[in-house]
Amino acid sequence: MKAFRVEVRVMPRATLLDPQGQAVEHALHALGFAEVTAVRIGKHLILEVTAPSKDDAAARARAMCDRLLANPVTEDYSVLVEAA
Amino acid sequence: MKAFRVEVRVMPRATLLDPQGQAVEHALHALGFAEVTAVRIGKHLILEVTAPSKDDAAARARAMCDRLLANPVTEDYSVLVEAA
């Protein structure tokens, strides 16, 4: 078993409204950052995982996303694995 | 002016407790993902920004982090700029 560092990015689906992102966009405009034309906000998770191989670590991380970390209706996720 | 896509990652500082990450780690263990040894959770923002150059877009994004997007006491951030 080896240790891996898994980076998971969970973002609201592109076709859905993102009220949190819109609120931050308005706040940035109010602070003078007029050059911002869109903001979307999601989660970034860093997991430390032990697994026999990099592929196994990625498969388990995707299973965690499907079970808990991402909402399959409203969110998309991506998984990046590197040796710890 | 060109359009850039700026990815911002905001994470709790490594030296600080991350109660949200700990809660997710416990939930993953309860679901049978015993191979997870640590979880940290932060934010991932995707900004669309217009700027004269990539360097300008990165500088403005760092200013946004310092002013609004990250808490300088408890969080670290990284900025990645690519052409939109």
Side-chain angles (χ1 to χ4, degrees):
Chain A
M1 301 291 261
K2 283 174 248 164
F4 296 94
R5 176 187 162 103
V6 181
E7 305 236 0
V8 177
R9 196 182 77 169
V10 181
M11 295 299 292
R13 290 228 155 130
T15 51
L16 295 177
L17 282 177
D18 175 10
Q20 190 187 4
Q22 291 179 332
V24 167
E25 184 183 344
H26 293 152
L28 286 170
H29 290 171
L31 287 171
F33 295 105
E35 70 266 51
V36 179
T37 57
V39 178
R40 294 188 80 75
I41 302 186
K43 283 175 290 190
H44 193 97
L45 296 94
I46 301 177
L47 312 176
E48 286 171 29
V49 173
T50 56
S53 73
K54 197 169 171 174
D55 285 350
D56 285 306
R60 290 292 279 173
R62 282 192 296 269
M64 293 175 211
C65 288
D66 292 332
R67 290 289 304 281
L68 179 72
L69 304 178
N71 179 333
V73 177
T74 61
E75 294 174 323
D76 288 316
Y77 63 82
S78 62
V79 169
L80 181 72
V81 181
E82 54 193 33
Chain B
M1 300 291 261
K2 285 177 243 162
F4 296 94
R5 177 187 161 102
V6 182
E7 306 236 0
V8 176
R9 195 181 79 169
V10 181
M11 295 299 293
R13 292 228 154 131
T15 50
L16 294 178
L17 281 178
D18 175 11
Q20 189 187 3
Q22 290 178 334
V24 166
E25 184 182 346
H26 294 150
L28 287 170
H29 290 170
L31 288 170
F33 295 105
E35 70 266 51
V36 179
T37 57
V39 178
R40 294 188 80 75
I41 302 186
K43 284 175 289 188
H44 193 97
L45 296 92
I46 301 178
L47 313 176
E48 287 171 27
V49 173
T50 55
S53 72
K54 197 169 172 174
D55 285 349
D56 285 306
R60 289 293 278 175
R62 282 193 295 270
M64 292 175 212
C65 289
D66 292 331
R67 290 288 304 279
L68 180 72
L69 304 178
N71 180 332
V73 177
T74 61
E75 294 173 323
D76 287 316
Y77 63 82
S78 62
V79 169
L80 180 73
V81 181
E82 54 192 32

